[in-house]
Amino acid sequence: MVSRVIPVDTFDLVIFGGTGDLARRKILPALFRRFVAGQMGPGSRVIGAARADLDAEGYRQFTREAIEEFGNGKAYDPKELDAFLEALDFVTIDALGEDGWADLAKLLDVGKITAFYFSVAPRLFGELAERLHRFGMATPDSRIVIEKPFGRDLASARALNESLAQHFDESQLYRIDHYLGKETVQNLMAVRFGNMLFEPLWNAQYVDHIQITVAETVGVGGRGDYYDRSGAMRDMMQNHLMQLLCLIAMEPPAKFDPDAVRDEKLKVIRALDPVEPGDIVRGQYSETEELPGYRAHVGHPDSRTESFVAMKLKISNWRWAGTPFYLRTGKRLRARTSEIAVVFKETPHSIFGPEAGRHRNILTIRLQPNEGMDLGVTIKEPGPGGMRLVDVPLDMTFADALGPDAEDIPDAYERLIMDVIRGNQTLFMRGDEVEAAWAWTDPIIEDWEARRDEPQPYDTGSSGPDDSLALMFRDGRRWREIRA
Ligand code: NAP
């Protein structure tokens, strides 16, 4: 198999917040990898913008260090790094001030694709949009890339959408949920809609339930302040897990085109039933001998913010009525893993009798680590002794199946940035999608706040609070083990 690099047109990418953590860890290394892959052609430029007093040379040094630290440890030719750095420039700009804007406007080439990456705090989004407009840089061809979090509730998301809509059309807005850029997440669509095998079974008649788990081993790290105002529901559930749910549950779009896909995702969110309080479990990690607990970690001894949330969801439509979806995400859990498990029903009748045991097929899509999927198939246990059955995985680990090509799979940011340049919005969230997700999330959080709900403590290295296990046990089901 040969990796294909589809060239993109030359572009100017302006990174507001070009000296920030996200630019250093993700955006700049991703651009360098695309440069090495030959996708960022001569004439394309990356312009950092922030309040820092840097010149182009200073920004090149900043970027060199970022790539040395976060370049995935892959070997690269130093000459290629020098060539990439040549394409960099920097403008000192305050999103809230007037200086520097005219300099930026002069730097940009008319007629080239121009993308503005808003890698700054969301309170600056509207200010940036307004100044881009006022200084003549908001053209019908310009594109705006917006980082999460997109609001913290429906009202703030709406306000952000409105402030952007004053100067830009929805077709120019690229709201990032980096989960959508992951190779395996896109593979969800390929598996569902590129095979005859699964789609006829993909409904409540054949699927018993679906589990989505996104587990981390780390705690809140240095983001304590931000995280404590957000929690697992806002930080993970409303966006990443909701997007996975949409891709798993949506109807087949007529074509793989941005609005066709996003229309179907939106219908899933709108078909979600309100969640009963008894169908949600919130947790907070406790301290260990070596590590502080959540409250000490965020420096807020009375914090009621959740670092774990699990819930049972119902989708009220023809396809899914009667099939529950169980979602969970949390920090300081047993292993770092993200997976989706589609658990099929048992056969309606076992011709092998009770001694054959109970079996069901499970399609597991592993998003990380060890990206790939496996399908649990029931076969005869080898040897004499009657018809005993055993479940074995038909395993497809991408690294094995695709060989060396698997190593060249671009990471989420590489793919998403190139999609911005190509003008393809399929893997970005539309404004109405984000608002619908908040409209569903808001009553849940408001209920917790009104009841002053206390999250349950859970042990570091566990699978979350005991009640999250009970959430499935009481339905006669069990979570899949969290393991790397
Ligand atoms: P950060 O490390 O705090 O960096 C903020 C950047 O914004 C810096 O370059 C800063 O440079 C610049 N900035 C701050 N105020 C400014 C102003 N008034 N005018 C112009 N530039 C200004 O933040 P970050 O972690 O990179 O996050 C950036 C955005 O991405 C946030 O919305 C965050 O929620 C989101 N995000 C981050 C991550 C991550 O892993 N870091 C992941 C997902 C989403 P100066 O101080 O020099 O101006």
Side-chain angles (χ1 to χ4, degrees):
M1 213 176 306
V2 180
S3 295
R4 282 186 304 141
V5 174
I6 300 168
V8 296
D9 291 339
T10 52
F11 61 88
D12 282 343
L13 173 68
V14 179
I15 311 174
F16 291 109
T19 56
D21 178 65
L22 186 69
R24 221 159 54 87
R25 286 192 309 112
K26 295 288 181 187
I27 305 171
L28 292 165
L31 284 163
F32 175 53
R33 286 194 291 272
R34 287 297 90 203
F35 179 87
V36 172
Q39 211 165 24
M40 192 177 145
S44 290
R45 290 180 309 168
V46 176
I47 301 163
R51 293 169 303 179
D53 187 16
L54 280 180
D55 58 10
E57 212 36 62
Y59 195 53
R60 288 181 187 135
Q61 186 54 29
F62 171 88
T63 304
R64 181 186 292 281
E65 286 164 18
I67 287 163
E68 281 165 2
E69 194 173 353
F70 299 106
N72 271 5
K74 279 193 191 160
Y76 55 82
D77 180 350
K79 285 201 197 100
E80 281 191 308
L81 180 54
D82 290 342
F84 171 68
L85 295 177
E86 280 303 305
L88 264 56
D89 211 331
F90 189 83
V91 184
T92 299
I93 261 182
D94 184 343
L96 303 170
E98 304 301 314
D99 294 344
W101 289 93
D103 300 332
L104 178 61
K106 260 190 252 153
L107 261 185
L108 300 179
D109 289 336
V110 177
K112 220 194 240 177
I113 293 172
T114 311
F116 300 97
Y117 200 131
F118 289 7
S119 181
V120 293
R123 67 186 164 79
L124 300 178
F125 292 173
E127 304 284 348
L128 291 175
E130 189 273 325
R131 280 167 181 74
L132 284 175
H133 166 73
R134 192 145 47 81
F135 286 88
M137 288 176 271
T139 69
D141 295 327
S142 42
R143 290 156 202 184
I144 305 293
V145 188
I146 310 145
E147 264 300 336
K148 84 164 208 189
F150 199 85
R152 54 174 285 108
D153 52 23
L154 177 57
S156 54
R158 252 189 205 147
L160 275 180
N161 275 336
E162 279 162 18
S163 69
L164 293 166
Q166 283 181 22
H167 307 295
F168 298 96
D169 185 72
E170 180 62 36
S171 62
Q172 298 177 272
L173 302 177
Y174 294 77
R175 294 176 193 79
I176 288 210
D177 183 322
H178 73 272
Y179 263 59
L180 291 178
K182 286 179 188 280
E183 187 71 13
T184 357
V185 173
Q186 291 163 69
N187 238 323
L188 265 179
M189 286 183 275
V191 166
R192 281 196 62 191
F193 306 128
N195 294 284
M196 193 57 209
L197 195 60
F198 299 112
E199 200 50 26
L201 305 180
W202 212 261
N203 56 54
Q205 193 182 345
Y206 298 102
V207 177
D208 177 73
H209 73 278
I210 291 179
Q211 303 184 15
I212 304 179
T213 298
V214 177
E216 297 175 278
T217 49
V218 293
V220 294
R223 299 164 68 220
D225 225 24
Y226 158 76
Y227 193 90
D228 200 43
R229 279 179 278 117
S230 167
M233 187 70 182
R234 287 191 172 99
D235 191 48
M236 298 294 291
M237 191 62 83
Q238 183 271 347
N239 39 67
H240 302 321
L241 279 89
M242 187 57 62
Q243 289 295 320
L244 297 180
L245 173 78
C246 287
L247 295 178
I248 275 283
M250 71 183 182
E251 295 300 316
K255 48 188 170 171
F256 190 58
D257 129 314
D259 279 329
V261 171
R262 296 184 301 177
D263 285 347
E264 296 306 336
K265 282 161 57 192
L266 180 62
K267 285 184 210 161
V268 173
I269 304 175
R270 291 194 172 147
L272 283 171
D273 280 359
V275 190
E276 303 289 330
D279 285 345
I280 308 185
V281 178
R282 303 168 73 222
Q284 230 181 33
Y285 57 80
S286 316
E287 74 276 5
T288 67
E289 273 177 24
E290 297 89 35
L291 296 167
Y294 177 85
R295 290 178 176 182
H297 217 152
V298 299
H300 186 175
D302 304 319
S303 172
R304 291 196 306 270
T305 304
E306 75 287 350
S307 59
F308 174 98
V309 63
M311 53 176 63
K312 174 181 172 181
L313 302 186
K314 293 177 203 142
I315 300 177
S316 277
N317 63 18
W318 273 49
R319 184 185 285 263
W320 293 119
T323 294
F325 289 71
Y326 299 91
L327 276 58
R328 66 180 164 169
T329 181
K331 293 191 173 291
R332 285 261 197 99
L333 296 176
R334 180 172 296 150
R336 175 174 175 263
T337 177
S338 301
E339 69 163 43
I340 299 168
V342 180
V343 181
F344 290 91
K345 291 185 174 171
E346 291 177 23
T347 52
H349 164 70
S350 172
I351 63 167
F352 306 110
E355 65 278 11
R358 300 175 63 178
H359 300 272
R360 44 180 49 164
N361 304 111
I362 303 179
L363 176 69
T364 310
I365 298 146
R366 299 186 302 269
L367 307 181
Q368 67 183 21
N370 208 9
E371 288 91 335
M373 57 186 73
D374 70 63
L375 177 65
V377 178
T378 304
I379 60 165
K380 178 186 172 301
E381 202 178 294
M387 201 59 164
R388 291 191 310 271
L389 301 185
V390 62
D391 297 329
V392 292
L394 277 179
D395 191 355
M396 192 190 79
T397 299
F398 289 168
D400 299 339
L402 303 177
D405 279 352
E407 287 173 21
D408 293 334
I409 292 174
D411 88 354
Y413 275 90
E414 291 175 62
R415 177 184 316 273
L416 293 173
I417 295 170
M418 288 301 117
D419 275 0
V420 172
I421 306 302
R422 286 190 197 100
N424 185 343
Q425 290 180 302
T426 311
L427 301 176
F428 297 84
M429 293 179 298
R430 209 168 53 192
D432 52 1
E433 232 185 297
V434 181
E435 289 188 15
W438 281 122
W440 175 82
T441 312
D442 274 5
I444 298 171
I445 296 178
E446 280 161 14
D447 174 62
W448 295 341
E449 284 170 359
R451 289 190 288 113
R452 301 175 69 77
D453 187 66
E454 286 281 340
Q456 296 172 19
Y458 63 92
D459 290 339
T460 291
S462 72
S463 303
D466 290 345
D467 279 5
S468 69
L469 308 181
L471 190 68
M472 289 196 79
F473 274 143
R474 66 174 196 204
D475 293 345
R477 301 182 173 108
R478 56 168 61 218
W479 290 105
R480 287 169 57 76
E481 209 182 311
I482 294 181
R483 60 193 152 100

